[in-house]
Amino acid sequence: MKIKVAIAGARGRMGTTAIEAIEEAADAEVVAALDYKYDGLHLHNASVNDGKLGIPIYTSLSTLFEEHHPAVLLDVTDPDAVFHNVKEALALGIHPVVGTSGLTNEELQEIAQLVESTRTGGIIAPNFSIGAVLMMKFAAQAARYLGDVEILEMHHDRKLDSPSGTAVKTAEMIKENRPPHIQGHPEEQIHLQGARGADVEGMKIHSIRLPGLLAHQQVLLGGEGELLTIRHDSFDRKSFMPGIMMAVRKVIGRNDLIYGLENIID
Amino acid sequence: MKIKVAIAGARGRMGTTAIEAIEEAADAEVVAALDYKYDGLHLHNASVNDGKLGIPIYTSLSTLFEEHHPAVLLDVTDPDAVFHNVKEALALGIHPVVGTSGLTNEELQEIAQLVESTRTGGIIAPNFSIGAVLMMKFAAQAARYLGDVEILEMHHDRKLDSPSGTAVKTAEMIKENRPPHIQGHPEEQIHLQGARGADVEGMKIHSIRLPGLLAHQQVLLGGEGELLTIRHDSFDRKSFMPGIMMAVRKVIGRNDLIYGLENIID
Amino acid sequence: MKIKVAIAGARGRMGTTAIEAIEEAADAEVVAALDYKYDGLHLHNASVNDGKLGIPIYTSLSTLFEEHHPAVLLDVTDPDAVFHNVKEALALGIHPVVGTSGLTNEELQEIAQLVESTRTGGIIAPNFSIGAVLMMKFAAQAARYLGDVEILEMHHDRKLDSPSGTAVKTAEMIKENRPPHIQGHPEEQIHLQGARGADVEGMKIHSIRLPGLLAHQQVLLGGEGELLTIRHDSFDRKSFMPGIMMAVRKVIGRNDLIYGLENIID
Amino acid sequence: MKIKVAIAGARGRMGTTAIEAIEEAADAEVVAALDYKYDGLHLHNASVNDGKLGIPIYTSLSTLFEEHHPAVLLDVTDPDAVFHNVKEALALGIHPVVGTSGLTNEELQEIAQLVESTRTGGIIAPNFSIGAVLMMKFAAQAARYLGDVEILEMHHDRKLDSPSGTAVKTAEMIKENRPPHIQGHPEEQIHLQGARGADVEGMKIHSIRLPGLLAHQQVLLGGEGELLTIRHDSFDRKSFMPGIMMAVRKVIGRNDLIYGLENIID
C-alpha cells in the first residue's frame, strides 16, 4: 500500500517538484492538496491534461482528512502558514514533514509539545539537501585544523530573512569543533557599519540577496597561506527530493519530533 | 639617463618586488631607500651578495636627497607613514608615487594644496593593478543592464580597515551608471546585525578577512535568472608592477596631483 | 494589434517560460504550439485550468499557419528539429526566432539563402542572455591587457555537445583583440590526454558536464601576479526572456538574417 | 639538540620560506645549502645582513655532509634534481624529506629499495598542505552520495606537467568510494578534441595554466539539482610549512619510506 501524502504549497515550484517526485516513487502517492483558495477545483501537474481529473484541492485540512486520510502532510509553504498547518495536522494524527525553515524557537517548542501529547511524530528540516548537510559536516571537521572561518550565503532577493538558517546552523556546528576566538585584526577599523558581516561565536556571516540567485553557501576556512572553501549550490528544488522522500518514508510510525536531515541519514 | 627613484618601504614585500621591477627596467634605477631604521646600512635585494654594496639606507629624506637627488619617491609603506613622507618629498621637489590606499580626504586635500604650491606633481593610486581597474570599469558598464549589485572583497586578516578602498570606489563608479534604488526585499528581516553588509548607495559591500587570503574582490550583478560576476585576484605584488612603472614614468614633468590609475592609462 | 507568435518546443521548460513571458507582454500573444505529437489537444500553461481551453497544438506548421496566421515562429526545440522548422517557417513567410545553438555552418548558410529568396527575416542567437553577451564583450576587451586566456564552461550532463557554442564564440571574439600566441609552458608535458582542454587559437576551453549544473561559463584572464575572472551563470530560463522578447519585436519587418543578440541590442 | 637540516633548492621561493620556518622553530636549524652553483659562497635569507656570514653553500652533498653532518635533507628542487639528491642522501645516511611531486613510479620504487637497503627512512609528499589533504579526504567521502565528479586544477604556466599529481591522487581516492561509472551523456559529441578533459576512472580532470595563478584545485560533485564544490587555494608557500616541519621531525628515527602527508598526520 502506498503512503498517502497531502501537500500544502502544491502550486508553488517546490510543491510542483515534490508532486513529481512522489508520483515517480513506487511507494507513495499525492492524495490531495491543501490550499488557501481554489477549494473544490483540481490541480494539474502536467501541462497536457485534457480529460484527466487532477489532484483535488481543499481549503480545510479536516475536510481533506475525512475524505482522503493522508498519513503525511508535506508542507512546503512559508513560515507563517506552516506553523498553523503543522498544529492542525498533529491534532488530526497526520505526520507533518516540513521543508521550510523560519520557525521560531517558541513555535518549535509548541510543536514539540503537541508531538508529545498526540504521539504523532514529525520531521522538520531547515535543509533537505544531502549536499548541504555534507557541507556543514565537512566545515565542522576542517575547522579543527583551519580555525578561522567566514560564511557567505547567497539567495534570491525574495528571501525575507537574513542570515539564512543554514548559515547559522553551520556556524553552530563549527563552534563545537574549534577553540573559541576572535577573528580578524584585533585593531580592526570598520569604516562602514555592517561591512564585516554578522558575528556568530567570532565567525562572520555575510548574506547576499540578488535577483537571479537561487540558494548558495560558501564556508571559507583560512590558514597561513591557504584557503579551504566548501561550497554548496542548490540550483533546483529537485536537490531536495531525495531528502524529502527519505523523510516521508521515515516519519511513518515515529512518535517523536526530528529536527535536521542529518538525524535520519543512515 | 635613468629615472632616479628613492623607495620608502623597501624592506617589505611590495618594496622588494618594486626594486626588482625598477632594476629590470632600462630607464629607471633605485638610488636609495628611506627607512625608519638601519641608517647607514645597505639593503640587498639578492640573497647571494658577497662583496656587493647594496642600496644605501637613510632615515632622513633630506639627507637622502642631498646625496642622491632622486626624481621620484615611490612610497609603499602604510597610511601612517605615507602622509608624512609625501609632504616631505613635495617640499624637496621629489615627485611622490604612492601605492598605498588609506589616506583620509583631509590628508588628500592637504597633499593637493602642497602639490599646487610646490608645483611638483604626484600620483596616488588606491590600486595599481590594471586587472582591478578593468574590473571596476566593467562592473560600472554592466550595471546599466543588471542594476542589482553586491560587492564582496576578501583580504588577509592583517588588513586593518574595512571595507577596502577599492570596494568603495567600485560602488561609487557603479552609482554613476544605474538608477538609484533600494536592493533586496523591501520587507527584509535582518535577524543578526551586519548580515546584509555595509550599504553604499543601495549596494551592499561585504568584507571577508582571513589568514591566507591576499587581495580579492568580486562584483556580483544579478538579473532575473542570471548572475554576472566580475572577479579580480591579486595573487602577488608583481601584479602592481606594470602600473607602478607607468606611474614612475608619467609623474616626471607633471605638476598636478593624479588620483587613480585609470587617469594615466592610455 | 498584438504580435501573433507560434511556439515550437512549448512543452519544454524553455517553452513554458517563454509562453509566460509572451503572455505577460502587452504587445504579443501565443496563438498556437507546433509539436510532433498531441495534434488537436490543448496546452495549459497554468496548473489550475478547469474550464479553460488552452493553446491549440498542431503537428503541421502549414495547418497551424492557415488557422492562426502567426507572424513569428519562436523555436526552442533542439538542433535537429530547428533546422526543419525554420525552413518551413520561411517558406510560409513566418519570421523565425531561434533560441537554440547547434546549427552547423552548412545549415546556417542554407537558412541565409532561404531568408534572401523569401525576403522573410529571421533571428538566430546562440545565447539570448544579455549577461552572457556582456561576459563575451568584457572578455574580449580585457584580453588586450591580459592576453593569456582559458575558458571554462559548465553545463548539465544532458547537454550532448562540447564545447558549448558560447565558449567557442567567446574565444573567437577574444582572438580579434589579442596578438596570437601559444599559451602555457613551451615544454609542457601532458601526461593524460585531454588534460589541457581543447585549443582554439592558442586559448584552452574546458567543458564540465555534471548533473545539477545549469549553464555557466567563466573566462579566466591571467597576468603576472593577477587573475581577472568574468563569470556568467544562467540559473533559470527567465534570463533569456528579455532577449527573446527583444528578438520577437525586432524581427517583424526585417528581411535579413541576424546572427547573435549583440546585433540587435541598442 | 636541534635537528640539523640541509636544504636543496634554498635560493627558490619555497627554499626561502622553508629556511624561515626552520629557523623560527626551536628544535631545528639549517646548517647548509646544497646547490648546483655558488660553491663556497653564503646564502643570506635576510635582506639587511652587513657583517653576517649566512648559510654556507655546497655543490657536493658528500662534502656538505663531512663538514656539517645534517640529519635531514629537505629537497624543494624540481623532479629532475630531486631523484639524484635523494639517492645520494640515502647513501650518506641522511633522511630525505621531499616536497616536490613529479617522481615517476620507477624512481619511487628505486628510492624505496634504497631506503630498505640503507635503513634510512624518508618522507615524500606530493602535497605538504593540510588544507589540500582535507580537500581530498572530503571529496572522497562526498562521492558516496554525489558520485559524478570533475576535478579542476589551476596552476601558474611555469608548471611543466599536467594534470597535477594532486588531481590524479584525488581521483584515485574518490575511486575507492564510488561505484565505477561513465559520466556525462552516453551519446556525448566532442567537437574539439580535449574539451572534456582527461579521464581517470570515468572522472574528468581539467588543467588550467595561466600566468598569475599559484596552486588551486576544485573538486566538483554533482547531484540532481545541486553541486558540492570543495576548493583549495595555496596562496603562499607558507601553507606547506606546518606539513614540512611535521615531516622533518617525524622522519628522524624512521627506517621506512612514507608517501603522502596523510600517513604522518595524527
Side-chain angles (χ1 to χ4, degrees), chain A residues 135-136 138-152 167-179 181-184 196-206 217-223 226-230, chain B residues 157 207-211 213:
Chain A
M135 170 185 61
M136 289 187 271
F138 294 156
Q141 285 178 25
R144 289 202 294 147
Y145 304 95
L146 299 163
D148 288 83
V149 182
E150 303 216 4
I151 299 169
L152 174 66
V168 173
K169 178 147 199 206
T170 304
E172 285 167 357
M173 285 174 68
I174 290 171
K175 180 188 121 188
E176 306 298 320
N177 277 270
R178 65 166 210 174
H181 65 288
I182 305 296
Q183 290 185 186
R196 290 287 288 116
D199 191 285
V200 175
E201 304 284 336
M203 283 167 271
K204 301 297 183 187
I205 301 182
H206 310 267
Q217 183 175 303
Q218 296 178 55
V219 187
L220 295 95
L221 301 112
E226 69 181 324
L227 183 73
L228 183 69
T229 305
I230 303 172
Chain B
D157 62 356
S207 301
I208 286 181
R209 298 288 176 268
L210 284 172
L213 287 172

Coordinates of all heavy atoms in Angstrom, one line a residue, chain A residues 135-136 138-152 167-179 181-184 196-206 217-223 226-230, chain B residues 157 207-211 213:
Chain A
M135 N 28.2 19.7 3.4 CA 29.0 20.9 3.5 C 29.1 21.3 5.0 O 30.2 21.6 5.4 CB 28.2 22.1 2.8 CG 28.8 23.5 3.1 SD 27.8 24.8 2.3 CE 26.2 24.5 3.1
M136 N 28.0 21.2 5.7 CA 28.1 21.6 7.2 C 29.0 20.7 7.9 O 29.8 21.1 8.8 CB 26.7 21.6 7.7 CG 25.9 22.8 7.2 SD 24.3 22.9 8.1 CE 23.3 21.8 7.0
F138 N 31.6 18.8 6.8 CA 33.0 18.9 6.4 C 33.5 20.2 7.0 O 34.7 20.3 7.5 CB 33.1 19.0 4.9 CG 32.8 17.7 4.2 CD1 32.4 17.7 2.8 CD2 32.9 16.5 4.8 CE1 32.1 16.5 2.2 CE2 32.6 15.3 4.2 CZ 32.2 15.3 2.9
A139 N 32.7 21.3 7.0 CA 33.2 22.6 7.5 C 33.5 22.4 9.0 O 34.6 22.9 9.5 CB 32.1 23.6 7.3
A140 N 32.7 21.7 9.7 CA 32.9 21.5 11.1 C 34.2 20.7 11.3 O 35.0 21.0 12.2 CB 31.7 20.8 11.8
Q141 N 34.4 19.7 10.5 CA 35.7 18.9 10.7 C 36.9 19.7 10.3 O 37.9 19.6 11.1 CB 35.6 17.7 9.7 CG 34.7 16.5 10.2 CD 34.6 15.4 9.2 OE1 35.5 15.2 8.4 NE2 33.5 14.7 9.2
A142 N 36.8 20.5 9.3 CA 38.0 21.2 8.8 C 38.4 22.3 9.8 O 39.6 22.7 9.9 CB 37.8 21.8 7.4
A143 N 37.4 22.8 10.6 CA 37.7 23.9 11.5 C 38.6 23.5 12.6 O 39.2 24.3 13.3 CB 36.4 24.5 12.0
R144 N 38.8 22.2 12.8 CA 39.8 21.7 13.8 C 41.2 22.1 13.4 O 42.1 22.4 14.2 CB 39.7 20.2 14.0 CG 38.5 19.8 14.7 CD 38.7 18.4 15.3 NE 38.9 17.4 14.3 CZ 39.7 16.3 14.4 NH1 40.3 16.1 15.5 NH2 39.8 15.4 13.4
Y145 N 41.5 22.2 12.1 CA 42.8 22.5 11.6 C 42.9 23.9 11.1 O 44.0 24.6 11.2 CB 43.2 21.5 10.4 CG 43.1 20.1 10.8 CD1 42.0 19.3 10.6 CD2 44.2 19.5 11.5 CE1 41.9 18.0 11.0 CE2 44.1 18.2 11.9 CZ 43.0 17.4 11.6 OH 42.9 16.1 12.0
L146 N 41.8 24.4 10.5 CA 41.8 25.8 9.9 C 40.7 26.5 10.6 O 39.5 26.5 10.2 CB 41.5 25.7 8.4 CG 42.6 24.9 7.6 CD1 42.0 24.5 6.2 CD2 43.8 25.7 7.4
G147 N 41.0 27.1 11.7 CA 40.0 27.6 12.7 C 39.5 29.0 12.4 O 38.6 29.4 13.1
D148 N 39.9 29.7 11.4 CA 39.4 31.0 11.1 C 38.4 30.8 9.9 O 38.7 30.4 8.8 CB 40.5 32.0 10.7 CG 41.3 32.4 11.8 OD1 42.2 31.6 12.2 OD2 41.0 33.4 12.4
V149 N 37.1 31.2 10.2 CA 36.0 30.8 9.3 C 35.1 32.0 9.0 O 34.8 32.8 9.9 CB 35.1 29.7 10.0 CG1 34.0 29.3 9.1 CG2 36.0 28.5 10.4
E150 N 34.7 32.2 7.8 CA 33.7 33.1 7.4 C 32.7 32.3 6.5 O 33.0 31.4 5.8 CB 34.2 34.3 6.7 CG 35.2 35.1 7.6 CD 35.2 36.6 7.5 OE1 34.3 37.2 6.9 OE2 36.1 37.2 8.2
I151 N 31.4 32.7 6.7 CA 30.3 32.0 5.9 C 29.6 33.1 5.0 O 29.3 34.2 5.5 CB 29.3 31.4 6.9 CG1 30.0 30.3 7.8 CG2 28.1 30.8 6.1 CD1 29.2 29.8 8.9
L152 N 29.5 32.7 3.8 CA 28.9 33.6 2.8 C 27.7 32.8 2.2 O 27.8 31.8 1.6 CB 29.9 33.8 1.7 CG 29.5 34.6 0.5 CD1 29.1 36.0 0.9 CD2 30.6 34.6 -0.6
A167 N 23.1 29.0 7.3 CA 24.3 29.6 7.7 C 24.5 29.6 9.2 O 25.6 29.3 9.7 CB 24.3 31.1 7.2
V168 N 23.5 30.0 9.9 CA 23.6 30.0 11.4 C 23.9 28.6 11.9 O 24.7 28.4 12.8 CB 22.3 30.6 12.0 CG1 22.3 30.5 13.6 CG2 22.1 32.0 11.6
K169 N 23.2 27.6 11.4 CA 23.4 26.2 11.8 C 24.8 25.8 11.5 O 25.4 25.1 12.4 CB 22.4 25.3 11.1 CG 22.6 23.9 11.5 CD 21.3 23.1 11.6 CE 21.6 21.8 12.4 NZ 20.7 20.7 12.0
T170 N 25.4 26.2 10.4 CA 26.7 25.8 10.0 C 27.7 26.4 11.1 O 28.6 25.7 11.6 CB 27.1 26.4 8.7 OG1 26.2 25.9 7.7 CG2 28.5 26.0 8.2
A171 N 27.5 27.7 11.4 CA 28.4 28.3 12.4 C 28.3 27.6 13.8 O 29.3 27.4 14.5 CB 28.0 29.8 12.6
E172 N 27.1 27.2 14.1 CA 26.9 26.5 15.4 C 27.6 25.1 15.4 O 28.2 24.7 16.4 CB 25.4 26.3 15.7 CG 24.8 27.6 16.2 CD 23.3 27.6 16.2 OE1 22.7 26.6 15.8 OE2 22.7 28.6 16.6
M173 N 27.5 24.4 14.2 CA 28.2 23.1 14.2 C 29.8 23.3 14.2 O 30.5 22.5 14.8 CB 27.8 22.4 12.9 CG 26.4 21.8 13.0 SD 25.9 21.1 11.4 CE 27.0 19.7 11.2
I174 N 30.3 24.4 13.6 CA 31.7 24.7 13.6 C 32.2 25.0 15.0 O 33.2 24.6 15.4 CB 32.0 25.8 12.6 CG1 31.8 25.4 11.2 CG2 33.4 26.3 12.8 CD1 31.9 26.5 10.1
K175 N 31.4 25.8 15.7 CA 31.7 26.2 17.1 C 32.1 25.0 17.9 O 32.9 25.1 18.8 CB 30.4 26.9 17.6 CG 30.5 27.4 19.0 CD 29.2 27.9 19.5 CE 28.7 27.1 20.7 NZ 27.3 27.4 21.1
E176 N 31.4 23.9 17.7 CA 31.7 22.7 18.5 C 33.1 22.1 18.3 O 33.6 21.3 19.1 CB 30.7 21.6 18.2 CG 29.2 22.0 18.4 CD 28.9 22.4 19.8 OE1 29.4 21.7 20.7 OE2 28.2 23.4 20.0
N177 N 33.7 22.5 17.2 CA 34.9 21.9 16.7 C 36.2 22.8 16.8 O 37.2 22.4 16.4 CB 34.8 21.4 15.3 CG 34.1 20.0 15.2 OD1 34.8 19.0 15.3 ND2 32.8 20.1 15.2
R178 N 36.0 24.0 17.2 CA 37.2 24.9 17.3 C 37.2 25.6 18.6 O 36.2 25.9 19.2 CB 37.2 25.8 16.1 CG 36.1 26.9 16.2 CD 36.3 28.0 15.2 NE 35.7 29.2 15.7 CZ 35.9 30.4 15.2 NH1 36.6 30.6 14.1 NH2 35.3 31.5 15.7
P179 N 38.5 25.9 19.0 CA 38.6 26.7 20.3 C 38.0 28.1 20.0 O 38.3 28.7 18.9 CB 40.1 26.8 20.5 CG 40.7 26.3 19.3 CD 39.7 25.5 18.5
H181 N 37.6 31.9 19.5 CA 38.5 33.0 19.4 C 37.9 34.1 18.5 O 37.0 33.9 17.7 CB 39.8 32.6 18.9 CG 39.8 32.1 17.5 ND1 39.3 30.9 17.1 CD2 40.3 32.6 16.3 CE1 39.4 30.7 15.8 NE2 40.0 31.8 15.3
I182 N 38.4 35.3 18.8 CA 38.0 36.5 17.9 C 38.8 36.4 16.6 O 40.0 36.2 16.7 CB 38.3 37.8 18.7 CG1 37.7 37.8 20.0 CG2 37.9 39.0 17.8 CD1 36.2 37.8 20.0
Q183 N 38.1 36.6 15.5 CA 38.8 36.6 14.2 C 39.2 38.0 13.8 O 38.6 39.0 14.2 CB 38.0 35.9 13.2 CG 37.8 34.5 13.4 CD 37.1 33.7 12.3 OE1 36.8 32.6 12.4 NE2 36.7 34.4 11.2
G184 N 40.0 38.1 12.8 CA 40.3 39.4 12.2 C 41.4 40.1 13.0 O 41.9 39.6 14.0
R196 N 31.8 44.1 8.0 CA 32.3 42.8 8.4 C 31.3 41.7 8.7 O 31.6 40.7 9.2 CB 33.3 43.0 9.6 CG 34.5 43.7 9.3 CD 35.5 42.9 8.5 NE 36.1 41.9 9.3 CZ 35.9 40.6 9.2 NH1 35.2 40.1 8.2 NH2 36.5 39.7 10.0
G197 N 30.0 42.0 8.4 CA 29.0 40.9 8.5 C 28.5 40.8 9.9 O 28.8 41.5 10.8
A198 N 27.7 39.7 10.1 CA 27.1 39.4 11.4 C 28.1 38.4 12.1 O 28.8 37.6 11.5 CB 25.8 38.7 11.2
D199 N 28.1 38.6 13.4 CA 29.0 37.7 14.2 C 28.3 36.6 14.9 O 27.3 36.8 15.6 CB 29.7 38.6 15.3 CG 30.8 37.9 15.9 OD1 30.6 37.0 16.8 OD2 32.0 38.2 15.6
V200 N 28.8 35.4 14.7 CA 28.2 34.2 15.4 C 29.4 33.5 16.0 O 30.2 32.9 15.3 CB 27.4 33.3 14.5 CG1 27.0 32.0 15.3 CG2 26.2 34.0 14.0
E201 N 29.6 33.6 17.3 CA 30.7 33.0 18.0 C 32.1 33.3 17.4 O 33.0 32.5 17.3 CB 30.6 31.4 17.9 CG 29.2 30.9 18.5 CD 29.2 30.9 20.0 OE1 30.3 30.9 20.6 OE2 28.1 31.0 20.6
G202 N 32.3 34.6 17.0 CA 33.6 35.0 16.5 C 33.7 34.8 15.0 O 34.5 35.3 14.3
M203 N 32.8 34.0 14.4 CA 32.7 33.8 13.0 C 31.9 34.9 12.3 O 30.9 35.3 12.9 CB 32.1 32.4 12.6 CG 33.1 31.3 12.8 SD 32.3 29.7 12.8 CE 31.8 29.5 14.5
K204 N 32.1 35.2 11.1 CA 31.4 36.2 10.4 C 30.5 35.6 9.4 O 30.9 34.7 8.6 CB 32.3 37.2 9.7 CG 33.3 37.9 10.6 CD 32.6 38.8 11.6 CE 33.6 39.5 12.4 NZ 32.9 40.3 13.5
I205 N 29.2 36.0 9.3 CA 28.3 35.6 8.3 C 27.9 36.7 7.4 O 27.5 37.8 7.9 CB 27.0 35.0 8.9 CG1 27.4 33.8 9.8 CG2 26.0 34.5 7.8 CD1 26.2 33.1 10.5
H206 N 27.9 36.5 6.1 CA 27.6 37.6 5.1 C 26.4 37.1 4.3 O 26.5 36.0 3.7 CB 28.8 37.9 4.2 CG 30.0 38.2 5.0 ND1 30.4 39.4 5.4 CD2 31.0 37.3 5.5 CE1 31.6 39.4 6.0 NE2 32.0 38.1 6.1
Q217 N 25.7 28.6 -0.7 CA 26.5 28.9 0.6 C 27.9 28.5 0.4 O 28.2 27.4 -0.2 CB 25.9 28.3 1.8 CG 26.7 28.7 3.1 CD 26.1 28.2 4.4 OE1 24.9 28.4 4.7 NE2 26.8 27.4 5.1
Q218 N 28.8 29.3 0.8 CA 30.3 29.0 0.9 C 30.7 29.1 2.3 O 30.5 30.1 3.0 CB 31.1 30.0 0.0 CG 30.8 29.9 -1.5 CD 31.6 30.9 -2.2 OE1 32.8 30.9 -2.2 NE2 30.9 31.8 -3.0
V219 N 31.5 28.1 2.8 CA 32.2 28.2 4.0 C 33.7 28.4 3.7 O 34.3 27.5 3.0 CB 32.0 27.0 4.9 CG1 32.6 27.3 6.3 CG2 30.5 26.7 5.1
L220 N 34.3 29.5 4.1 CA 35.7 29.8 3.8 C 36.5 29.6 5.1 O 36.2 30.2 6.1 CB 35.9 31.2 3.3 CG 35.2 31.5 2.0 CD1 33.8 32.1 2.2 CD2 36.1 32.5 1.2
L221 N 37.5 28.7 5.0 CA 38.4 28.4 6.2 C 39.8 28.8 5.8 O 40.4 28.2 4.9 CB 38.3 26.9 6.5 CG 36.8 26.4 6.9 CD1 36.3 25.4 5.8 CD2 36.8 25.7 8.2
G222 N 40.3 29.7 6.5 CA 41.7 30.2 6.2 C 42.8 29.7 7.1 O 42.5 29.6 8.3
G223 N 43.9 29.4 6.6 CA 45.1 29.1 7.4 C 46.3 29.9 6.8 O 46.1 30.6 5.7
E226 N 46.8 29.7 2.9 CA 45.9 28.8 2.2 C 44.5 29.0 2.6 O 44.2 29.6 3.6 CB 46.3 27.3 2.5 CG 46.0 26.8 3.9 CD 46.4 25.3 4.1 OE1 46.2 24.5 3.1 OE2 46.9 25.0 5.1
L227 N 43.6 28.6 1.7 CA 42.1 28.8 1.9 C 41.5 27.5 1.5 O 41.7 27.0 0.4 CB 41.6 29.9 1.1 CG 40.1 30.3 1.3 CD1 39.9 30.9 2.6 CD2 39.7 31.2 0.2
L228 N 40.6 27.0 2.4 CA 39.7 25.8 2.0 C 38.3 26.4 1.9 O 37.8 27.0 2.8 CB 39.8 24.7 3.1 CG 39.1 23.4 2.8 CD1 39.6 22.7 1.6 CD2 39.0 22.5 4.0
T229 N 37.7 26.1 0.8 CA 36.3 26.6 0.6 C 35.4 25.4 0.3 O 35.7 24.6 -0.5 CB 36.2 27.6 -0.7 OG1 37.2 28.6 -0.5 CG2 34.8 28.1 -0.8
I230 N 34.3 25.3 1.1 CA 33.3 24.3 0.9 C 32.1 25.0 0.4 O 31.5 25.8 1.2 CB 33.2 23.4 2.1 CG1 34.5 22.9 2.5 CG2 32.2 22.3 1.9 CD1 34.5 22.2 3.9
Chain B
D157 N 43.8 38.8 7.1 CA 43.3 39.4 8.3 C 44.3 40.4 9.0 O 44.1 40.8 10.1 CB 42.8 38.3 9.3 CG 44.0 37.4 9.7 OD1 45.1 37.5 9.2 OD2 43.7 36.5 10.5
S207 N 32.9 42.5 3.6 CA 34.4 42.4 3.8 C 34.8 41.1 4.5 O 34.4 40.9 5.7 CB 34.9 43.6 4.5 OG 34.6 44.8 3.9
I208 N 35.5 40.2 3.9 CA 36.0 39.0 4.5 C 37.5 39.2 4.8 O 38.2 39.7 4.0 CB 35.7 37.8 3.5 CG1 34.2 37.5 3.5 CG2 36.6 36.6 3.9 CD1 33.8 36.3 2.6
R209 N 37.8 38.8 6.0 CA 39.2 38.9 6.5 C 39.6 37.5 7.0 O 39.1 37.1 8.1 CB 39.4 39.9 7.6 CG 39.0 41.4 7.2 CD 40.0 42.0 6.2 NE 39.6 43.3 5.8 CZ 38.9 43.5 4.7 NH1 38.6 42.5 3.9 NH2 38.6 44.7 4.3
L210 N 40.6 36.9 6.4 CA 41.0 35.6 6.8 C 42.5 35.5 6.6 O 43.1 36.0 5.6 CB 40.3 34.5 6.0 CG 38.9 34.1 6.4 CD1 38.3 33.1 5.4 CD2 38.8 33.5 7.8
P211 N 43.2 34.7 7.5 CA 44.6 34.5 7.2 C 44.7 33.7 5.9 O 43.8 32.9 5.7 CB 45.0 33.6 8.4 CG 43.8 33.0 9.0 CD 42.7 34.0 8.7
L213 N 44.4 34.6 2.9 CA 43.9 35.4 1.7 C 45.0 36.5 1.4 O 45.8 36.9 2.2 CB 42.6 36.1 2.1 CG 41.4 35.2 2.1 CD1 40.2 36.0 2.7 CD2 41.1 34.7 0.7

